[in-house]
Amino acid sequence: MRKIYILLAVLVAMMAIGEVSAQRSKANKRRHAKTHKVVRKHPKKTKKASRKRTVVIKPVDPRLNDPNYDPNIMCEDTCGHVHGIDLSHYQGQVFWETVGENTKMAYVYLKATEGGDRIDERYERNIELAHRYGLKVGSYHFFRPKTPLVQQLENFKTQCLPGEQDLIPMIDIETTGGLTDRQFCDSLFRFLGMVERAYRQQPLLYTFRNFYNKHLLGQIDDYKLMIAMYTEEEPVLADGRDITMWQYTSKGRIVGISGYVDKSRFMGRHGLREIRFRH
């Protein structure tokens, strides 16, 4: 009987040892599962097609290879034409005693008025000093097509006094004011007639080449023209008509004026005598 008890005790012990072993095995498997790193395989990167860079070679201005080239040289430095400038309050203070010493600048047009009530704030001082230092002076009015014409003329006459003028009046024409070409030209022609009667001579007309070609082509053949076009080539109008003067730059430099200044010259055989004010 004792042997049977001993045998049963051994069997119970073996079963207990087996259960502990099984639990340890399960625990080890769980621990292994937690600490095991799953390595994901990344897809192979495909090589992008290499892009060829296009090198743009900019043409070099041949003048830059000239050791004597100076970008500050203007038209008046390389030709024998009669040159001048035009000014307004935008140029600020002008040292006229210095400008007057420039033998290449024979005349100056000064902005006097604009529209029906605008007066250039520096006009009176500029015209007095320009005369004092020997320049031939003319005055110009910026034309506003929709502003009453009588009001514009009266405004201009208060500043552009005949006794102070060496050159014929100039009318600056740069805008249609939103009018049709027919309405614009009608307004302009009536105003030009009024100016001519007031000063007993035709004014000089200033405009840009493209503006002339678009709005004034063949309309103002009887008037002398100053055409603005800022290129190295002389301007040619679409109707081939004669040009008296050419404003060739709006970024000119001159000693005595700190900023940019508009510069112009006579075309061909035209000269200063053609625009002298007849008193």
Side-chain angles (χ1 to χ4, degrees):
M1 192 70 179
R2 187 178 179 183
K3 289 181 178 181
I4 293 172
Y5 287 142
I6 294 171
L7 182 59
L8 288 172
V10 171
L11 288 173
V12 171
M14 290 178 65
M15 289 175 66
I17 293 169
E19 186 177 353
V20 171
S21 178
Q23 289 177 356
R24 183 176 295 139
S25 177
K26 287 180 181 180
N28 287 338
K29 285 182 179 180
R30 284 195 299 268
R31 190 180 300 115
H32 181 70
K34 288 181 180 179
T35 58
H36 179 66
K37 293 182 179 179
V38 178
V39 179
R40 294 181 180 177
K41 293 183 178 181
H42 294 282
K44 291 183 179 180
K45 292 182 179 179
T46 56
K47 293 183 178 180
K48 293 182 179 179
S50 59
R51 295 180 180 177
K52 293 182 179 180
R53 293 184 178 179
T54 304
V55 179
V56 179
I57 301 175
K58 294 182 179 180
V60 178
D61 189 332
R63 296 175 300 176
L64 299 180
N65 295 323
D66 182 355
N68 298 317
Y69 173 66
D70 181 353
N72 294 316
I73 290 178
M74 302 299 291
C75 178
E76 68 271 13
D77 298 308
T78 59
C79 74
H81 297 103
V82 179
H83 292 262
I85 56 178
D86 64 81
L87 298 175
S88 69
H89 65 278
Y90 290 114
Q91 276 70 42
Q93 183 177 2
V94 176
F95 296 94
W96 286 103
E97 62 275 22
T98 304
V99 175
E101 294 174 354
N102 190 324
T103 57
K104 295 177 180 178
M105 295 295 135
Y107 62 88
V108 57
Y109 265 100
L110 300 172
K111 183 176 182 180
T113 52
E114 177 176 339
D117 55 5
R118 294 186 185 179
I119 295 172
D120 192 283
E121 62 193 44
R122 291 188 175 269
Y123 175 75
E124 289 187 15
R125 182 178 187 278
N126 281 341
I127 195 168
E128 178 188 349
L129 294 178
H131 273 135
R132 184 184 301 177
Y133 292 103
L135 287 162
K136 299 299 182 184
V137 184
S139 304
Y140 74 90
H141 172 79
F142 191 99
F143 177 62
R144 293 288 181 185
K146 295 175 74 173
T147 302
L149 303 182
V150 173
Q151 187 178 342
Q152 291 197 68
L153 179 63
E154 291 304 316
N155 187 32
F156 189 44
K157 286 170 62 178
T158 63
Q159 303 302 309
C160 181
L161 305 178
E164 296 179 347
Q165 309 303 309
D166 300 307
L167 310 175
I168 59 177
M170 183 168 74
I171 307 302
D172 186 342
I173 309 164
E174 300 184 36
T175 176
T176 64
L179 301 176
T180 65
D181 282 354
R182 184 173 180 178
Q183 293 170 329
F184 161 67
C185 287
D186 180 64
S187 176
L188 175 62
F189 297 155
R190 286 191 290 121
F191 183 68
L192 295 180
M194 293 165 64
V195 172
E196 184 173 350
R197 288 190 293 274
Y199 290 96
R200 299 182 181 179
Q201 52 206 305
Q202 286 187 332
L204 173 69
L205 306 188
Y206 167 94
T207 191
F208 285 84
R209 184 193 64 170
N210 291 344
F211 189 90
Y212 175 90
N213 287 340
K214 186 175 181 179
H215 303 290
L216 294 168
L217 201 65
Q219 299 292 325
I220 47 178
D221 292 344
D222 295 334
Y223 292 88
K224 296 179 176 62
L225 295 179
M226 180 192 288
I227 295 295
M229 189 178 79
Y230 308 141
T231 64
E232 292 184 357
E233 291 135 3
E234 294 184 353
V236 176
L237 300 178
D239 56 8
R241 67 152 298 182
D242 184 53
I243 298 172
T244 304
M245 302 167 76
W246 170 29
Q247 188 184 89
Y248 55 88
T249 183
S250 63
K251 293 187 176 181
R253 293 289 191 181
I254 184 172
V255 179
I257 301 175
S258 58
Y260 291 131
V261 61
D262 298 335
K263 290 185 175 182
S264 59
R265 71 165 174 84
F266 284 90
M267 295 280 284
R269 295 183 178 180
H270 292 292
L272 202 58
R273 66 186 181 280
E274 298 175 44
I275 61 169
R276 288 189 183 277
F277 194 101
R278 298 191 308 273
H279 293 279

